Amino acid sequence: MRLPEQLELVFERSTIAVAGVADPGSVAGGHVQDAAVRSDIQGAADGDRGYNNDVHLESKARELLRANGAARIAKDVHVEWSPRLKSCAGRADYRAKLISLNPRLRGHGAAEIDRTLRHELAHLLAQFRAGRRRILPHGQEWQVACHDLGIGDEKRCHNLPFPIRERVRRFLYKCPNCRCDFARVRRIRRAIACLACCRAHNQGEFDARFRLQLVAGETEIYA
């Protein structure tokens, strides 16, 4: 899956989407980077998946979902080994029902593969239970799902020695209400609002009044 704002962050198990989460139209989990909100989180296009499916891990994932009351989505879940993942151990896409794992995990043993699978599966289970309600990527719902999947002590970050990929954030956005800054690697193409302000003034729903405004581009920031 290639989300427009998707980032692969160092030492993060999951990179689903930007910012945590009060978009006006989607119901996907996401990886919290900072308190901004995106208005449209897309599912993966079939032609962009590049499946290298692992039938054994898919079977395990579906069994775990069925055991936790999520049989409705279990049959649709796929697990792939994705060479696109560099520094992150895994990624979950709820809309596509897809879990992507970093092939480098194979060098760290079956236990690490299993734990990462369950970590990513917890994102799918948490969002399934929440329905259309928006939840934080590594919030309480995810923590409960981790517990139910047998990894109650799970952390949001891994400490595996994966290569670090640095990305310069060239674009600076600002909330027109609270004046907080949000730096981005790429120019934002969709409506994104300040999560803190949406929560404070609109019950966490997307509100165009708090849409982030571009205040500096690459030239202005790094001149």
Side-chain angles (χ1 to χ4, degrees), residues 80-150:
E80 68 167 359
W81 293 99
S82 175
R84 296 191 302 271
L85 301 186
K86 304 301 181 183
S87 58
C88 62
R91 176 185 297 155
D93 174 5
Y94 182 76
R95 288 186 65 179
K97 307 300 184 290
L98 175 65
I99 292 175
S100 301
L101 300 177
N102 191 324
R104 291 181 176 86
L105 284 170
R106 290 170 170 154
H108 295 275
E112 191 63 46
I113 293 173
D114 180 72
R115 191 173 190 91
T116 302
L117 175 69
R118 291 171 189 254
H119 176 115
E120 301 306 332
L121 198 60
H123 287 295
L124 303 189
L125 181 59
Q127 188 60 63
F128 170 77
R129 290 171 169 176
R132 293 191 62 85
R133 180 168 58 87
R134 297 168 179 86
I135 61 175
L136 292 174
H138 295 94
Q140 182 178 1
E141 296 85 356
W142 175 80
Q143 293 170 13
V144 170
C146 283
H147 179 272
D148 293 343
L149 291 169

Side-chain angles (χ1 to χ4, degrees), residues 145-208:
C146 283
H147 179 272
D148 293 343
L149 291 169
I151 51 170
D153 60 343
E154 180 68 349
K155 307 297 183 184
R156 58 172 290 187
C157 302
H158 73 75
N159 58 1
L160 298 172
F162 289 173
I164 297 174
R165 187 166 90 175
E166 298 290 345
R167 293 195 179 191
V168 178
R169 298 189 175 194
R170 296 182 172 89
F171 300 94
L172 182 64
Y173 291 81
K174 187 179 291 289
C175 171
N177 184 58
C178 68
R179 311 304 294 172
C180 287
D181 292 336
F182 302 89
R184 286 291 180 268
V185 174
R186 301 182 182 88
R187 186 183 296 273
I188 295 174
R189 303 297 181 184
R190 289 175 172 79
I192 298 181
C194 172
L195 177 58
C197 291
C198 287
R199 283 179 169 171
H201 304 291
N202 200 35
Q203 299 182 330
E205 297 292 330
F206 177 85
D207 192 320

Side-chain angles (χ1 to χ4, degrees), residues 27-101:
V27 284
H31 172 70
V32 174
Q33 299 168 32
D34 49 37
V37 199
R38 193 173 67 192
S39 67
D40 182 23
I41 301 177
Q42 297 179 345
D46 289 341
D48 191 39
R49 287 179 180 174
Y51 275 147
N52 183 12
N53 285 52
D54 190 309
V55 176
H56 171 69
L57 293 180
E58 281 184 1
S59 178
K60 177 182 289 188
R62 292 170 182 177
E63 180 180 347
L64 287 168
L65 286 174
R66 286 192 292 266
N68 284 277
R72 181 163 59 84
I73 64 170
K75 61 182 176 60
D76 298 321
V77 167
H78 295 283
V79 179
E80 68 167 359
W81 293 99
S82 175
R84 296 191 302 271
L85 301 186
K86 304 301 181 183
S87 58
C88 62
R91 176 185 297 155
D93 174 5
Y94 182 76
R95 288 186 65 179
K97 307 300 184 290
L98 175 65
I99 292 175
S100 301
L101 300 177

